[in-house]
Amino acid sequence: MSYAPRPVAVVNSAQTLFKPSWADRQHVDLISEAVTGVLKGTGLRIDDVDFVIDSGSDFLDGRSISNCGFLGAMGAHHKEESRVEEDGLWALSYAMNKIASGSASVGLVVAYAKPSELDARSFWCTLLEPFTQRPVGLDHLSAAGLYAHRYLTAAGLKPKDLEVVARHAWEAAVRNPNVDLDEVPSAEPFWHERVASPLHGSDFARPVDGAVAVLLAAADVADQITTRPVRLTGHGSAIDQHFLAAREADALPACAAAARMALGTARATAFDIAEVSATSTVGELMVLEALGLAPRHKALDLYDGGGATAVNPSGGALPADPIMATGLARFHEAAARLAGRSGFAAGEARTALVHGTGGFAMQNHCVVTMEVAA
């Protein structure tokens, strides 16, 4: 007897404002705001939610099993709840599988982070192998610099060429009401002071505080709630080599593998929107190439505005990287645009590809595809 997975759709999604620091608010405040926002206008109550999947980091939160302190804010009290210690897009993939299997009908996905409460560099360094990599001073900044040296050489580009990627991101983020940003940074050191050769401060993602929530449901349930349902059509994930020296010098094969898995079930072969995550400008270029949106070493051409796919119309992760919630934020931005929600310009867009990354130096990758239901 053959089994057909149950179609899954997005009911709603919401986020807090992303700020470099929410000094006057705790994790529970940010989570509660996102969860309240995602239920608003759906006609659903928290009692209608069958399960909660959350993404966060004990290290970033400063205590073990930190999600236990946030169950009330997530609406998970006396409810099935699971924690994913990875970017929120993996939690969404978990929830998607759970509903597709028929074991539940409505699921809530929550991802959050407050990197302002610690040194984000320390967080990334804890992911390193402690005997041969951590002692030599390798961190996420120097790793990105190593990738950049090799990528720029292979692509025949100069470090200044990366400014196109950074400016595209920051200018889009200024227009995004979900990001606390009034103007593109103009300080000279930001654009021209080397942080990890050949990269400048503008080439790296800015950590921010915030929370994101997504409400998923079986398609037949979602169809009764929203007039423009967005169906999830594919997902995939893959992990690269842990040791940086063992990875490809100027490409992300694990990202390409995740994309192949997602595209294997997606009906669309081209996408109107691509919301991708990256910790650096070069990382973003390599992601776009791994996803098949540009030939190898040619992703810079996507920023001339003439392509069929809108790349990171939200600004992406460079201006606003809530670390454990970055991929779920990309999903929220894409889903809100496809659904034509208030404040999001949908236009003619009907398909989207979303990418999340995690691990040291973008070791892990997750890809999700979606489209407006016919």
Side-chain angles (χ1 to χ4, degrees):
M1 181 176 179
S2 62
Y3 165 73
R6 195 179 185 189
V8 181
V10 185
V11 174
N12 200 14
S13 58
Q15 70 165 86
T16 65
L17 181 68
F18 286 156
K19 297 178 62 172
S21 175
W22 272 111
D24 59 341
R25 303 186 70 184
Q26 299 182 23
H27 294 78
V28 290
D29 301 316
L30 299 174
I31 293 168
S32 180
E33 179 184 333
V35 171
T36 301
V38 82
L39 291 170
K40 188 175 182 180
T42 64
L44 297 177
R45 301 182 304 165
I46 197 65
D47 291 343
D48 298 316
V49 175
D50 298 318
F51 64 90
V52 177
I53 311 291
D54 59 276
S55 283
S57 165
D58 289 355
F59 188 95
L60 286 173
D61 297 342
R63 63 177 180 178
S64 298
I65 321 176
S66 60
N67 54 312
C68 288
F70 308 142
L71 297 182
M74 292 186 289
H77 187 59
H78 287 175
K79 194 184 297 291
E80 181 182 352
E81 180 265 347
S82 294
R83 171 69 170 266
V84 175
E85 193 88 6
E86 185 51 282
D87 180 271
L89 204 58
W90 273 265
L92 183 130
S93 184
Y94 183 174
M96 180 181 175
N97 279 332
K98 196 169 180 63
I99 296 172
S101 71
S103 64
S105 293
V106 181
L108 174 62
V109 183
V110 181
Y112 65 89
K114 283 200 75 182
S116 65
E117 296 187 352
L118 85 164
D119 176 12
R121 177 183 177 276
S122 299
F123 165 73
W124 292 117
C125 287
T126 62
L127 305 182
L128 282 168
E129 184 277 323
F131 299 106
T132 61
Q133 292 194 106
R134 204 180 299 170
V136 302
L138 185 66
D139 62 14
H140 69 297
L141 302 176
S142 57
L146 291 171
Y147 264 123
H149 266 298
R150 296 177 293 185
Y151 180 90
L152 293 175
T153 299
L157 299 173
K158 302 295 183 183
K160 65 179 181 180
D161 295 326
L162 299 175
E163 190 172 319
V164 172
V165 182
R167 288 200 176 276
H168 174 273
W170 286 88
E171 288 170 2
V174 169
R175 299 188 295 270
N176 188 345
N178 293 319
V179 179
D180 184 31
L181 186 66
D182 295 327
E183 60 183 6
V184 176
S186 58
E188 182 72 14
F190 179 75
W191 293 101
H192 299 115
E193 187 174 287
R194 291 281 172 87
V195 172
S197 181
L199 301 179
H200 308 95
S202 58
D203 290 307
F204 291 99
R206 178 182 68 153
V208 295
D209 294 352
V212 186
V214 174
L215 199 59
L216 297 182
D220 58 319
V221 176
D223 289 347
Q224 300 175 52
I225 300 171
T226 174
T227 58
R228 190 178 167 94
V230 177
R231 300 280 180 92
L232 304 186
T233 57
H235 65 114
S237 60
I239 302 175
D240 208 333
Q241 299 278 353
H242 176 72
F243 283 90
L244 192 67
R247 302 184 202 174
E248 284 197 33
D250 57 347
L252 300 173
C255 182
R260 286 193 298 272
M261 190 181 302
L263 294 173
T265 56
R267 287 186 290 268
T269 56
F271 297 91
D272 301 315
I273 297 172
E275 280 282 347
V276 305
S277 307
T279 55
S280 70
T281 50
V282 163
E284 184 167 304
L285 294 177
M286 291 194 295
V287 165
L288 293 170
E289 292 164 11
L291 294 175
L293 298 175
R296 192 163 183 174
H297 304 144
K298 297 296 182 182
L300 200 63
D301 296 341
L302 295 173
Y303 297 88
D304 62 10
T309 302
V311 176
N312 282 345
S314 68
L318 296 178
D321 181 14
I323 301 182
M324 304 303 289
T326 308
L328 199 63
R330 307 277 67 75
F331 182 91
H332 160 61
E333 292 281 356
R337 282 174 169 76
L338 293 187
R341 295 189 207 135
S342 177
F344 294 88
E348 299 299 320
R350 298 189 63 86
T351 59
L353 181 150
V354 178
H355 163 266
T357 186
F360 182 77
M362 301 174 61
Q363 178 189 4
N364 313 328
H365 298 270
C366 186
V367 177
V368 175
T369 60
M370 54 182 147
E371 64 182 41
V372 178

